[in-house]
Amino acid sequence: QVQLVESGGGSVQAGGSLRLSCLASGFIYSSYSMAWFRQAPGKEREGVACMSPGGGVTPYRDSVKGRFTISRDNALNTLYLQMNSLKPDDTAMYYCAAGTYCMMGNPSLWDRAMNYWGKGTLVTISS
């Protein structure tokens, strides 16, 4: 049974940092591209960052470039998202996903390449 379990969300003030984790099981983690998505209240889900199995492809949405860093540990079946310089606009439910490849271009379309999803962890940034 495939499971993706996110953790690390919380409430912080603008300018702060959080590190999200996603523990994967039930599939060959090292063969899948892994990604973070988010969905703010009243908005559509959007891609945040993605990483190919070997880490060579790492697209980010423009609004998080230079602030967020995606990483993965294939030995621990774990995906991370280090989020620095957080802004109120980063407030959302953050989801981990596994898929066949990392799409490039419009982050709103990245979910088309994802096969498995976690249930999310909530990130709230106050001004």
Side-chain angles (χ1 to χ4, degrees), residues 65-117:
K65 287 180 181 177
R67 299 189 298 122
F68 291 10
T69 303
I70 189 172
S71 61
R72 63 189 294 166
D73 187 328
N74 287 346
L76 296 179
N77 285 9
T78 303
L79 179 73
Y80 304 99
L81 185 68
Q82 178 66 45
M83 305 187 295
N84 298 329
S85 302
L86 284 161
K87 304 176 181 179
D89 284 349
D90 295 319
T91 294
M93 186 71 80
Y94 282 72
Y95 298 92
C96 170
T100 51
Y101 62 99
C102 289
M103 289 188 73
M104 307 302 287
N106 187 352
S108 296
L109 303 179
W110 290 2
D111 58 358
R112 297 181 180 183
M114 297 294 119
N115 304 110
Y116 307 123
W117 294 86

